[in-house]
């Protein structure tokens, strides 16, 4: 079973280019301000979530292990 993730989007950084929405549409969507939000924390496999975080042009996506708080992205 895959581990639970806590994924957040920093709206001070998100420029709404939809890269994450396109990569993981089951997890991210645009809000009314055309910024990304996580609407289903389990809506994509971990590898896809981390890919979306890596591809975000403004590093707005943070991914943690929900159980331990270990930061998976950005890498320390
Ligand atoms: S890839 Fe980054 S900047 Fe683009 S919509 Fe997603 S969080 Fe926002």
């Amino acid at each position: 079973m895959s581990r639970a993730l806590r994924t957040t989007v920093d709206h001070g950084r998100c420029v709404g280019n939809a890269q994450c929405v396109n990569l993981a549409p089951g997890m991210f969507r645009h809000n009314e301000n055309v910024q990304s939000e996580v609407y289903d924390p389990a809506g994509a496999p971990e590898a896809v979530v981390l890919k979306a975080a890596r591809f975000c042009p403004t590093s707005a996506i943070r991914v943690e292990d929900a159980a331990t708080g270990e930061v998976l992205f950005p890498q320390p």
Side-chain angles (χ1 to χ4, degrees):
M1 196 178 129
S2 58
R3 60 181 164 179
L5 303 178
R6 183 185 306 116
T7 305
T8 53
V9 177
D10 181 347
H11 286 162
R13 290 174 174 253
C14 175
V15 294
N17 76 337
Q19 185 93 303
C20 59
V21 177
N22 291 331
L23 279 167
M27 180 170 184
F28 299 98
R29 66 183 173 197
H30 275 164
N31 64 15
E32 65 278 6
N33 296 319
V34 197
Q35 289 188 303
S36 175
E37 65 180 13
V38 176
Y39 73 96
D40 183 353
E46 180 173 325
V48 175
V49 178
L50 291 173
K51 182 176 181 180
R54 277 199 309 274
F55 276 48
C56 174
T58 60
S59 301
I61 299 172
R62 178 181 175 92
V63 186
E64 299 173 8
D65 183 315
T68 66
E70 177 191 359
V71 178
L72 305 175
F73 192 91
Q75 297 284 333

